[in-house]
Amino acid sequence: MSQRPVYVLGISAFYHDSAAALVCDGQVVAAAQEERFTRKKHDPRFPVHAINACLEAAEIEAEELAGAVFYENPLLSLDRILRSVAGAGEAALPSWLEGLPGWLRTKLFFEELLREELGQEIPVLYSEHHLSHAASAFYPSPYDEAAILTIDGVGEWATTTLAEGDADGLRVHQEIRFPHSLGLLYSAFTQYCGFRVNSGEYKLMGLAPYGEPIYAERIRDHLIDLREDGSYELAMDHFAFVAGETMTNDLFHGLFEGPPRERESRIRKKDADLAASIQAVTEEAVLCMARHLRKHTGCRNLVMAGGVALNCVANGKLLREGIFEKLWIQPAAGDAGGALGAAYVGSHVYFDVPRVDAPAPGRDRQRGSYLGPAYSNEEVRSFLDLHDLPYEVVSDDERARETASALATGQVVGYMVGRTEFGPRSLGARSILGDPRSTETQSVMNLKIKFRESFRPFAPSVLLEASGEFFDLEIESPYMLLVAPVKEEIRLPVASDAGAEDEDNLIAQVNQKRSSLPAITHVDYSARVQTVDGVDKPDYHAVIREFQELTGVGCVVNSSFNVRGEPMVLSPWDAYKCFMRTDMDVLVVENFLLRKTEQPKFEDHENWQEEYELD
Amino acid sequence: MIDTKQRDALVDFFRQRVLPLGSSVSQHPRPPGGQPPLPDPGSLYHERFGERPTARSLEIDLSDRGNISRALEAHWQGTPLEGLGKALLRLAKRFPRGEEKADVSSDVYEMF
């Protein structure tokens, strides 16, 4: 008689990016973020839709679950909150009034909520926040053993954790504890530079190459005591996040000679310099930690997770530094990935499930991170027919050819094929694609399609086999988590006085053509690369290969399929709405192709852009 | 959103139960007996000594109000926070379950 499969559900919720993940016999089956269903970016609410999607993907009922694991320990979190608030004194009252009701209404009662939603009594377990991150980094990685580095804003108490994984599981070595947090330091600068905490960090990273790290020394001297082993403490008298309300205080503002930039106001050279400075300090800290971890564990491989692991510029530096021989980063490195880690912790630690073999030597167990829901051709056709929308039915080969052909003539394509990505990056399942050779692609996609800040660069998806033609990148980067230099051979000289007449004019710098692939070449000749192979995403590989046939360039622009502030599209309806509201030319949904010129007038409310809060 | 009575209850709890704890409790509590000295006095890392998670370490009974209260009390036994578990659960009775916090500020997200 065969044993029943061990299904373990992991859940992250109540902070940012709530999510669910399902692991069966140690292999991830499905994972999804709640925001994709509710259409509220970074939705922190209980992930009922994501849970249902995971169960549907596995075609099981809740009663078949061996257990559910919450991604952190509420006792430790509440301990940290009460102690921190007590220490902050009366100043913490406003944040107490704002934050505690969530605990009293919901967070303490996770099990009740889960029981109600599942309609089942199942064992409920609790991991630790950084243990979940560590598990999400190690178990799906290609390595039998690895050092583990997790860095984020804050878990329960931990903000940085150094650990190790091997055949016997996970071991936690050292940690940095709240309020000292590299993630919160970066977030403090994010807010000071006028971006939103928890979503603007990526923008700050993108802004950094426009500036000079002229404040880095000031940061080291006044804000962070960074030791040689990567351990650190923050000078808490410059920060206000323990009491709530805001990240920084007057002492911080005095240090940088002015108040925070107002959101949506013009970005100044000073903001770019601040971005470059905190980026430099962050990279230094990460490199110090990595060196220490290598020495401490003796491991040759490093795996990473936690929000700071989404800093692909720092990741690229870490790779090039060669401290570890190999590097793997969990693509859902933020809190959503905690759900996946929690499911792994439950499987391996509690249910004693052995780790599954890697699908092939050197390949990871993340399945390309295409772990979310998919829509069948029947479902798509029903949707299109119901709304009487004109479309062409295309075979897989025709889809690749038609998409590539549209891109090669400068058109922008919304591309929705297969299971959605788990994690913040679009990897060719829900992507907006463009021609990287065009100087206009970046501005058109930023301003007429994404409606986002014009300084933000776009990323390339490149055929794995062609990557070396364009980028100095020795390894695969399937999850777009590594920034690499654009090859010298394709770089172009830039006028040295670009933007010199007005140092706050970033647009002049953005508009400079820097390589033969200007749309994906950042101001510092770098690119955030996704390498695409034919194994995990053959349809997308085929599109880029066809584009290569037509143009000689095995690379396309890949941006997430959404507008600013909107979660990535999930359903055909989400995709069609986004297509019609923006200047995209072609929409591909599974084996259906829609051309903008053939679509009926789209009835939309006038203020649709207010539907999504700006990130 | 909270009503006036809820706000008053939160303020009272904050001033009567939390503030008196003072800044002396604001750090992570050391386990009974204290931790061994750090191997490197120049390091700011907190040691966890290669600790492995165990099946037992994942088990916390938060299945109902009584068990949540007991779990908190056990967690804080012998610390200045002892007694706060029961008190928090009493306070929670004033906050019937409703829409979860989805719109608190991002700063409070990090903290809470």
Side-chain angles (χ1 to χ4, degrees):
Chain A
M1 197 172 129
S2 64
Q3 277 193 318
R4 288 181 61 187
V6 179
Y7 285 102
V8 181
L9 181 69
I11 295 171
S12 66
F14 310 138
Y15 282 90
H16 8 96
D17 293 323
S18 69
L22 187 65
V23 167
C24 175
D25 290 336
Q27 173 65 58
V28 60
V29 174
Q33 291 158 258
E34 187 70 1
E35 65 163 26
R36 308 285 159 86
F37 303 90
T38 61
R39 314 305 301 150
K40 180 180 172 60
K41 189 117 173 164
H42 305 305
D43 197 335
R45 290 172 293 181
F46 185 84
V48 60
H49 302 90
I51 291 171
N52 287 333
C54 287
L55 297 178
E56 277 178 29
E59 298 180 340
I60 62 165
E61 300 295 329
E63 65 195 36
E64 294 173 69
L65 292 170
V69 189
F70 191 61
Y71 79 132
E72 66 174 31
N73 180 332
L75 304 183
L76 291 173
S77 298
L78 204 51
D79 184 78
R80 190 251 308 154
I81 290 166
L82 286 171
R83 288 173 187 275
S84 302
V85 164
E90 188 73 22
L93 181 58
S95 62
W96 172 264
L97 293 174
E98 190 180 346
L100 201 74
W103 274 91
L104 302 177
R105 287 191 173 116
T106 315
K107 286 183 167 189
L108 277 172
F109 306 104
F110 168 75
E111 278 196 50
E112 260 180 40
L113 259 173
L114 184 66
R115 267 200 310 273
E116 283 172 18
E117 294 297 345
L118 295 182
Q120 291 292 324
E121 296 273 351
I122 58 169
V124 177
L125 307 164
Y126 296 86
S127 179
E128 281 186 32
H129 189 105
H130 275 247
L131 182 66
S132 298
H133 279 319
S136 79
F138 175 66
Y139 287 113
S141 79
Y143 314 132
D144 292 336
E145 49 187 33
I148 306 169
L149 181 58
T150 66
I151 316 169
D152 68 0
V154 60
E156 295 95 354
W157 276 99
T159 63
T160 297
T161 296
L162 280 59
E164 190 176 350
D166 58 24
D168 294 323
L170 303 173
R171 277 187 290 167
V172 182
H173 292 298
Q174 294 173 314
E175 66 188 21
I176 300 290
R177 291 178 185 155
F178 185 85
H180 309 291
S181 165
L182 192 61
L184 291 180
L185 176 66
Y186 205 91
S187 292
F189 277 89
T190 299
Q191 189 180 69
Y192 185 67
C193 290
F195 302 112
R196 188 183 281 270
V197 174
N198 293 332
S199 59
E201 286 78 1
Y202 218 61
K203 299 180 188 179
L204 197 69
M205 186 186 72
L207 183 61
Y210 293 97
E212 300 293 327
I214 59 174
Y215 299 107
E217 206 56 45
R218 211 178 293 185
I219 294 171
R220 288 187 203 99
D221 288 346
H222 295 276
L223 297 183
I224 183 169
D225 174 7
L226 176 63
R227 304 289 169 89
E228 199 179 337
D229 65 358
S231 64
Y232 59 89
E233 276 185 359
L234 302 186
M236 292 310 299
D237 55 344
H238 286 72
F239 300 93
F241 57 77
V242 174
E245 295 215 279
T246 186
M247 298 293 290
T248 54
N249 61 19
D250 289 345
L251 206 52
F252 186 105
H253 307 161
L255 185 62
F256 298 106
E257 297 142 8
R261 180 180 77 90
E262 284 191 25
R263 291 189 65 205
E264 305 306 319
S265 64
R266 192 181 189 200
I267 293 170
R268 308 153 298 180
K269 173 73 163 46
K270 178 187 174 186
D271 303 306
D273 289 340
L274 285 163
S277 303
I278 189 60
Q279 180 64 31
V281 173
T282 301
E283 288 166 12
E284 185 184 342
V286 170
L287 292 179
C288 288
M289 288 174 203
R291 284 190 201 99
H292 171 68
L293 191 53
R294 171 77 208 243
K295 198 170 144 191
H296 194 85
T297 63
C299 292
R300 291 179 301 170
N301 310 313
L302 175 67
V303 297
M304 292 176 71
V308 177
L310 293 171
N311 192 313
C312 42
V313 180
N315 297 344
K317 288 254 169 74
L318 184 55
L319 180 71
R320 288 190 292 282
E321 200 74 12
I323 300 166
F324 286 89
E325 291 175 20
K326 291 180 180 170
L327 172 66
W328 192 86
I329 301 152
Q330 165 57 239
D335 277 2
L340 180 58
Y344 277 121
V345 168
S347 295
H348 298 301
V349 176
Y350 194 83
F351 293 103
D352 212 18
V353 174
R355 193 180 181 200
V356 294
D357 291 334
R363 289 197 73 83
D364 68 36
R365 299 152 169 95
Q366 183 80 10
R367 299 184 163 185
S369 219
Y370 305 106
L371 299 170
Y375 291 81
S376 67
N377 274 324
E378 291 70 30
E379 288 172 302
V380 177
R381 186 193 294 274
S382 297
F383 163 75
L384 296 174
D385 288 345
L386 179 69
H387 295 280
D388 208 14
L389 303 175
Y391 59 79
E392 300 161 34
V393 179
V394 287
S395 68
D396 289 357
D397 289 346
E398 288 166 341
R399 178 176 64 199
R401 274 199 301 275
E402 291 290 336
T403 303
S405 168
L407 294 173
T409 55
Q411 297 183 69
V412 176
V413 179
Y415 190 80
M416 171 182 161
V417 177
R419 296 182 73 176
T420 56
E421 299 88 344
F422 182 56
R425 304 279 84 84
S426 278
L427 302 172
R430 299 292 185 277
S431 291
I432 298 174
L433 309 179
D435 183 349
R437 302 168 303 159
S438 163
T439 47
E440 287 159 16
T441 302
Q442 182 174 6
S443 59
V444 168
M445 284 178 70
N446 265 334
L447 301 175
K448 293 186 174 177
I449 295 174
K450 305 281 288 189
F451 305 111
R452 68 181 201 181
E453 300 89 338
S454 58
F455 72 86
R456 295 180 65 186
F458 284 102
S461 290
V462 62
L463 295 174
L464 177 62
E465 57 272 28
S467 171
E469 291 175 36
F470 310 109
F471 309 108
D472 284 321
L473 182 65
E474 304 277 310
I475 65 167
E476 292 183 35
S477 176
Y479 304 118
M480 210 183 268
L481 287 168
L482 295 171
V483 163
V486 167
K487 282 263 188 200
E488 289 280 356
E489 296 89 314
I490 66 164
R491 293 185 189 185
L492 298 171
V494 172
S496 58
D497 60 348
E501 69 285 355
D502 176 3
E503 66 170 15
D504 285 342
N505 184 4
L506 298 184
I507 300 296
Q509 293 184 60
V510 171
N511 290 339
Q512 287 288 310
K513 188 174 176 178
R514 289 186 157 72
S515 80
S516 58
L517 304 180
I520 55 86
T521 305
H522 204 5
V523 65
D524 60 350
Y525 293 101
S526 68
R528 181 164 44 94
V529 180
Q530 179 199 6
T531 55
V532 180
D533 67 28
V535 178
D536 284 323
K537 194 66 178 154
D539 62 282
Y540 192 39
H541 187 265
V543 167
I544 308 172
R545 206 181 51 231
E546 288 291 342
F547 187 75
Q548 185 186 40
E549 287 285 316
L550 292 171
T551 65
V553 172
C555 176
V556 299
V557 175
N558 174 8
S559 183
S560 54
F561 198 157
N562 59 358
V563 294
R564 184 180 172 191
E566 180 190 16
M568 250 190 265
V569 300
L570 174 68
S571 68
W573 172 232
D574 300 333
Y576 187 76
K577 261 195 303 189
C578 191
F579 171 59
M580 293 305 292
R581 285 169 168 175
T582 64
D583 270 4
M584 273 183 264
D585 302 292
V586 173
L587 174 65
V588 172
V589 185
E590 298 303 332
N591 289 98
F592 299 87
L593 189 143
L594 290 78
R595 297 184 195 280
K596 178 69 70 58
T597 51
E598 296 168 0
Q599 299 307 305
K601 187 174 183 314
F602 185 59
E603 299 294 336
D604 203 357
H605 55 91
E606 280 180 16
N607 299 323
W608 68 266
Q609 279 172 290
E610 291 171 16
E611 191 174 320
Y612 306 111
E613 194 179 354
L614 292 181
D615 60 6
Chain B
M1 287 295 289
I2 54 173
D3 62 31
T4 310
K5 281 185 179 171
Q6 289 171 326
R7 187 183 190 284
D8 290 346
L10 284 169
V11 172
D12 287 349
F13 193 96
F14 180 76
R15 293 200 170 127
Q16 291 166 18
R17 305 299 302 261
V18 180
L19 280 191
L21 296 168
S23 58
S24 63
V25 299
S26 64
Q27 296 298 306
H28 183 279
R30 290 176 184 278
Q35 288 177 325
L38 293 174
D40 176 0
S43 177
L44 297 166
Y45 286 120
H46 294 267
E47 281 295 331
R48 290 192 62 172
F49 305 105
E51 177 188 323
R52 288 188 185 277
T54 63
R56 185 89 184 269
S57 68
L58 308 180
E59 291 176 336
I60 310 170
D61 189 350
L62 302 178
S63 55
D64 58 37
R65 284 172 183 267
N67 285 324
I68 295 168
S69 175
R70 275 187 284 280
L72 285 168
E73 284 308 321
H75 186 69
W76 286 326
Q77 190 178 13
T79 77
L81 278 66
E82 189 168 339
L84 280 187
K86 279 184 193 164
L88 272 171
L89 266 292
R90 278 199 299 276
L91 181 62
K93 286 183 181 167
R94 295 171 179 266
F95 292 83
R97 232 173 59 208
E99 180 68 7
E100 296 158 38
K101 64 163 205 167
D103 295 301
V104 297
S105 67
S106 51
D107 309 313
V108 174
Y109 268 173
E110 291 292 357
M111 182 60 198
F112 281 83

